[in-house]
Amino acid sequence: MSFASLGLIDPLLRNVQDLNYQTPTPVQAKAIPAVLSGKDVMAAAQTGTGKTAGFALPLLQRLVQHGPAVSSNRARVLVLVPTRELAEQVLQSFIEYGKGLDLRFLAAYGGVSINPQMMKLRKGVDVLVATPGRLLDLHRQNAVQFDQVQTLVLDEADRMLDLGFARELNAVFAALPAERQTLLFSATFTDDIRAMAAGILRGPVNISVSPPNVTASRIKQWVVPVDKKNKPDLFMHLVAENKWQHALVFVKTRNGVEYLAAMLDEAGYAVDTIHGDKPQPARLRALERFKTREVDMLVATDVAARGLDIDDLPLVINVDLPIVAQDYVHRIGRTGRAGASGVAVSLVCADEAPQLAAIEALIRQTLRREEEPGFEAEHRVPQTSATGEIIKKPKKPKKPKVPQAAPGAGQVLSKKSRPQSGENKRKPAAQGAVAAGKGTSSSRGHSFGVPKPRGESASKPVAGSRKPAARSAGGRGKR
Ligand code: AMP
């Protein structure tokens, strides 16, 4: 099976070749001919399956081959996505796949000024990728009219419903021309999604591809049972102990994200964060810096979990399990892409036993439990099956603890050595960084007892030696 055999035109084939895509993925092999033929599609496929090219390539071709040129304040293809990050990512895919074609693309989402989006819409765009709320805003202000829309794509439809966009979606459906092609992509097919699909799809081609990665043996997944209060220290310990260099770290709350990021920063990692409190440009910048490896660690809430395409990410660390089991799949779907091997580690406390059970039921496997010596959980995480026994690692000789300062005494830890001596890439924490933006780190004025790398002695805190690197809204480490 080749892309050429699917009926794609030369410019698209060249772009695919430039991206070094050798063969279509299963979802592409099924979706491309269906979309080219103008049919509706209902696809059970999640991120990592190549679904974006599955709809973008044939839609680009249809834009070139069918329909009149776009008029001002119009769009011909409308792609609805749940998050701003995904909007940017899908836009980038259209730009890459559509290189050399005379087409205009735009991503429109909230959290940034609407004016530049309105300006760009004046000329009309062939593809508008948008979050539902901002799309409706633009529509109500007459910045975009829908009479030229030939195709509607719902990307990650389940996520859009999870995020409460049902009303906005219905308003968009009602405003679109009845004569159109509709493509619906969703990782899961709940009753709500089926009901929505029944209302908007006509005789769809049904496509289902197995979730990528989750069951693939190339992702090494395990669980470390731990008491909730010890999670931050265990996290830092694991990072240092395993010499982890580049990881996407998930934490439940925004405060938790900032707390952990401050610890990593203090330990000398270049770190940035993504969560809902951050303005959109800062979130996109954080993602970009992580992708280009300007930062080592990206700490995020679930906002970042879905749809993000990060090449060659070796490691995902779940400091907290997601509430919704499906999000575990999305999280670890960031690793093990395109045949690469990956690691997904989850720190699980007793409170999270129900979430863990739901995840294991969803992925149909019991994750290996591996206790970390020195961090054994007092409150056991219940087992779900015989294969989930706890593996006890042999105890290592105790290392001296980093002494703690009296809280509030203004004392700070001396700078932590990097976890990997001589190995390059650690960036020093920003010296003398000034706190910017809102809030102060919950870690300030505290020492965290971050274990030193093996073979190094713990440095004693020196009063007044250095303030912990301050948090800044724009991220830490290298700037
Ligand atoms: P998606 O599921 O659309 O987010 O795509 C996941 C990743 O797979 C992206 O990094 C794509 O660039 C990549 N990809 C998509 N199609 C192919 C293909 N046919 N061969 C290799 N990589 C691909």
Side-chain angles (χ1 to χ4, degrees):
M1 169 83 65
S2 67
F3 281 101
S5 72
L6 297 175
L8 293 173
I9 54 178
D10 281 345
L12 295 173
L13 292 176
R14 271 197 300 277
N15 291 344
V16 163
Q17 206 169 12
D18 287 351
L19 289 165
N20 205 19
Y21 295 179
Q22 310 285 342
T23 48
T25 64
V27 73
Q28 289 163 3
K30 290 175 186 158
I32 290 173
V35 178
L36 280 178
S37 72
K39 291 191 175 131
D40 283 3
V41 165
M42 172 154 120
Q46 56 189 233
T47 194
T49 55
K51 68 180 164 68
T52 317
F55 63 78
L57 288 168
L59 289 179
L60 287 162
Q61 181 154 334
R62 283 178 64 77
L63 283 167
V64 172
Q65 293 180 336
H66 300 278
V70 70
S71 311
S72 63
N73 296 106
R74 305 286 194 288
R76 295 168 67 201
V77 166
L78 201 53
V79 185
L80 291 179
V81 294
T83 63
R84 304 145 180 195
E85 284 81 7
L86 188 57
E88 277 296 334
Q89 194 175 297
V90 170
L91 172 71
Q92 287 314 314
S93 297
F94 270 100
I95 291 170
E96 277 181 74
Y97 300 144
K99 206 170 62 186
L101 303 178
D102 188 19
L103 297 170
R104 283 195 295 273
F105 312 113
L106 175 67
Y109 42 78
V112 294
S113 166
I114 199 166
N115 292 335
Q117 297 170 3
M118 293 173 96
M119 296 280 284
K120 288 196 179 130
L121 279 165
R122 276 195 198 151
K123 274 187 171 171
V125 295
D126 294 283
V127 179
L128 175 58
V129 186
T131 50
R134 177 52 61 97
L135 179 68
L136 278 180
D137 276 355
L138 288 164
H139 182 58
R140 286 189 194 115
Q141 299 188 43
N142 271 331
V144 62
Q145 290 163 41
F146 294 145
D147 52 334
Q148 261 195 312
V149 172
Q150 57 190 58
T151 305
L152 167 71
V153 183
L154 299 172
D155 194 9
E156 302 201 351
D158 52 350
R159 185 65 164 166
M160 286 197 273
L161 291 189
D162 286 352
L163 292 175
F165 283 132
R167 218 155 24 124
E168 282 89 346
L169 289 176
N170 284 330
V172 174
F173 301 155
L176 289 176
E179 251 342 286
R180 61 161 200 266
Q181 180 183 34
T182 306
L183 316 176
L184 186 151
F185 290 81
S186 188
T188 50
F189 274 85
T190 56
D191 290 348
D192 285 346
I193 292 285
R194 286 181 199 288
M196 186 170 85
I200 57 169
L201 298 175
R202 287 194 206 159
V205 173
N206 286 295
I207 297 171
S208 176
V209 293
S210 53
N213 304 330
V214 186
T215 50
S217 53
R218 64 175 181 269
I219 297 193
K220 197 174 160 220
Q221 302 170 63
W222 76 95
V223 160
V224 188
V226 63
D227 289 332
K228 194 192 268 177
K229 64 178 191 300
N230 293 332
K231 277 188 175 187
D233 284 349
L234 171 60
F235 166 77
M236 293 305 295
H237 167 80
L238 288 172
V239 166
E241 193 77 5
N242 293 292
K243 300 181 167 55
W244 284 331
Q245 306 267 338
H246 191 60
L248 181 55
V249 183
F250 285 106
V251 182
K252 189 160 63 185
T253 63
R254 296 161 191 189
N255 284 344
V257 165
E258 288 298 337
Y259 185 87
L260 224 58
M263 286 179 89
L264 283 165
D265 184 33
E266 175 65 15
Y269 288 90
V271 52
D272 213 330
T273 58
I274 295 188
H275 53 67
D277 270 353
K278 259 193 148 171
Q280 184 58 14
R283 281 155 65 169
L284 291 174
R285 206 164 48 240
L287 182 63
E288 208 41 49
R289 296 170 79 213
F290 183 65
K291 279 188 180 178
T292 58
R293 293 210 159 208
E294 197 186 324
V295 295
D296 305 313
M297 303 280 182
L298 185 62
V299 190
T301 56
D302 262 324
V303 124
R306 289 217 182 193
L308 297 189
D309 182 23
I310 301 163
D311 289 336
D312 303 327
L313 177 64
L315 176 63
V316 167
I317 307 171
N318 295 312
V319 173
D320 297 310
L321 285 181
I323 303 293
V324 179
Q326 190 63 42
D327 284 342
Y328 176 84
V329 176
H330 287 286
R331 287 180 181 186
I332 74 161
R334 309 276 76 73
T335 176
R337 289 284 176 90
S341 62
V343 173
V345 189
S346 302
L347 278 49
V348 180
C349 64
D351 290 357
E352 293 171 305
Q355 283 137 268
L356 181 58
I359 288 165
E360 293 181 323
L362 179 73
I363 63 175
R364 290 191 217 100
Q365 57 178 294
T366 304
L367 298 172
R368 196 160 50 93
R369 274 72 165 162
E370 202 168 289
E371 276 191 334
E372 195 58 31
F375 292 91
E376 293 87 351
E378 279 170 35
H379 307 283
R380 292 317 295 262
V381 178
Q383 300 302 301
T384 50
S385 87
T387 48
E389 306 134 70
I390 291 182
I391 297 173
K392 286 190 186 273
K393 287 220 236 159
K395 288 221 184 229
K396 293 176 200 122
K398 281 231 169 206
K399 285 177 230 149
K401 269 225 155 192
V402 179
Q404 304 278 318
Q411 175 277 343
V412 288
L413 282 181
S414 63
K415 187 169 181 239
K416 298 283 187 300
S417 327
R418 292 150 185 256
Q420 219 165 356
S421 56
E423 259 213 42
N424 65 60
K425 309 194 55 232
R426 291 276 82 63
K427 292 101 188 170
Q431 293 279 347
V434 180
K438 51 198 159 59
T440 51
S441 168
S442 47
S443 65
R444 195 161 307 165
H446 292 252
S447 59
F448 294 105
V450 180
K452 303 301 289 182
R454 223 192 294 249
E456 290 180 43
S457 60
S459 52
K460 282 219 168 80
V462 181
S465 61
R466 182 168 80 82
K467 292 257 184 233
R471 294 183 327 145
S472 86
R476 308 165 180 77
K478 256 200 205 173
R479 266 163 245 267

